[in-house]
Every structure is written in structure tokens, then in C-alpha cells.
Amino acid sequence: MKSPRADAQRKRDYILQSSMHWLAQHPNGALEDLRKAINVGRTTLYRHFNNRETFIASVYAYTFKHAVLQLQEGNFVHCKIPELAEHLVDNTIRLVRNFPLLINGPGVDITQNGSMEEGYEQVLLTIELGIQRAQANQLLNPRLPSKWLASTLLDQCAGAVFYQDMLTEYGQVPNKLIKHSFFRAWQAEDV
């Protein structure tokens, strides 16, 4: 028998996961439109979230938490060096596909005091660990800030996902294109 608390948590998770995809396409959409799109009653939605600000912050927190978990499963730290470049790109593109709110970054609504939301910082930090490993093994220029490279890779992967249909129409495979352009642009300089 399911407990009421477990049912409530499943409903909350359903709302957050469904909302993540909807908000990526309708960042300024009304809560009422979202509620209808994900087929949730008004009472159910407001039982879990008091207002729009709380709701949006919860959706982003859910997104960032699960994005970090997915990146950690990607295991940038232990994959073989010859596969690292492809591994970084493939996992970051998969991340953006699964968590489309990452296409637009942390969003203005959730920045605090001019800094990025902690969850988004954690996403970048997880990618940065793979970038640092690539730098240490001369796949990427070690003189460049690893956080900047992580942000650049996430941005390029987000662009590739956003324009995937167009890229495919022009005969480009997003994963290969990003791997080639990112690693070629920021590769370690011959010393």
C-alpha cells in the first residue's frame, strides 16, 4: 500500500519534471497554462507550490540536482583518456537534451546577488572536473580557465541541441561537430 506522503512526493516530482520541459519552451508562460499543459489540477499545483517564484525556483533546483546526478553517472573522472573528449561532448549533449532548461542557463529569475544559482554552479563544476582532466592530459589548453571551458562546452552543446534539426538538415551530426569545434578551438598548444 502506498503512503500518502510517497504519493505526494511522486506527484511533486511529476510536476517538476513535466514543468522543466514546458518552461524550456515557454519561459514566460503563465502558471495556469503550464497547469493545463501538464494536466494537473489547480489545487494540486498550489498545494505543492505557494506562488510562481517558489515554483520556478523549485523547477530549476530539481533540474540542477538531477543534471548533476546524470553527469556524475557519466563519470568523466575515470573514462579512458582517448575517449575523454567524446565522452565529455556526448554526456553534455545528453544532459541538455534531458534537461532543456540548461539551454538558457540559470535564468534571470533565480540568480542571487549577481551570482549564479548554486545548482547551476554545481552543474558547471561537474563538467569542469572532466575539463580539468582533459587539460591535465593535453587534450585542452591548460592555460585557459577550466570553469570558462566548462561553461563554453555547455553553451555549445545547448546550441547544438537547440539547432539540432537545422544542423541535421545541413548534414551535420551535432556530437561530432561540437567535439571537433570545441577541442580544435581550445586544444593544448604545442610547446
Side-chain angles (χ1 to χ4, degrees), residues 44-57:
T44 301
L45 184 65
Y46 286 101
R47 183 180 319 127
H48 293 283
F49 310 100
N50 299 336
N51 55 46
R52 180 176 168 72
E53 291 77 26
T54 302
F55 171 71
I56 288 180

Side-chain angles (χ1 to χ4, degrees), residues 7-177:
D7 282 345
Q9 185 60 48
R10 271 191 292 284
K11 188 59 138 180
R12 186 176 198 279
D13 288 347
Y14 166 78
I15 292 168
L16 292 171
Q17 185 167 8
S18 301
S19 300
M20 172 180 63
H21 295 281
W22 191 86
L23 278 173
Q25 303 219 340
H26 308 91
N28 297 318
L31 218 47
E32 184 63 18
D33 294 336
L34 166 89
R35 183 190 67 73
K36 290 176 185 175
I38 65 172
N39 197 26
V40 171
R42 180 177 286 130
T43 305
T44 301
L45 184 65
Y46 286 101
R47 183 180 319 127
H48 293 283
F49 310 100
N50 299 336
N51 55 46
R52 180 176 168 72
E53 291 77 26
T54 302
F55 171 71
I56 288 180
S58 296
V59 172
Y60 274 99
Y62 177 89
T63 297
F64 298 145
K65 175 185 172 186
H66 287 83
V68 167
L69 290 172
Q70 180 180 308
L71 283 170
Q72 288 171 343
E73 287 173 8
N75 208 351
F76 300 140
V77 180
H78 299 294
C79 73
K80 296 177 183 173
I81 297 304
E83 300 164 3
L84 182 58
E86 193 166 332
H87 201 66
L88 274 164
V89 171
D90 289 347
N91 280 287
T92 306
I93 284 182
R94 184 170 60 97
L95 180 79
V96 176
R97 283 189 183 124
N98 291 342
F99 302 99
L101 279 176
L102 294 174
I103 289 174
N104 297 320
V108 176
D109 290 350
I110 64 164
T111 56
Q112 300 170 354
N113 302 324
S115 65
M116 283 186 276
E117 207 270 350
E118 180 182 323
Y120 190 73
E121 289 276 354
Q122 200 58 38
V123 170
L124 286 179
L125 177 63
T126 309
I127 295 170
E128 187 179 3
L129 293 174
I131 294 291
Q132 289 170 347
R133 188 162 180 240
Q135 288 176 306
N137 287 282
Q138 300 302 309
L139 296 174
L140 291 170
N141 188 334
R143 293 185 200 141
L144 296 172
S146 57
K147 186 173 189 171
W148 177 76
L149 285 169
S151 179
T152 301
L153 177 61
L154 184 58
D155 287 347
Q156 286 186 359
C157 289
V161 169
F162 188 77
Y163 292 108
Q164 180 172 340
D165 293 339
M166 187 183 302
L167 289 169
T168 304
E169 184 180 313
Y170 284 94
Q172 298 295 321
V173 178
N175 296 42
K176 288 181 181 179
L177 183 66

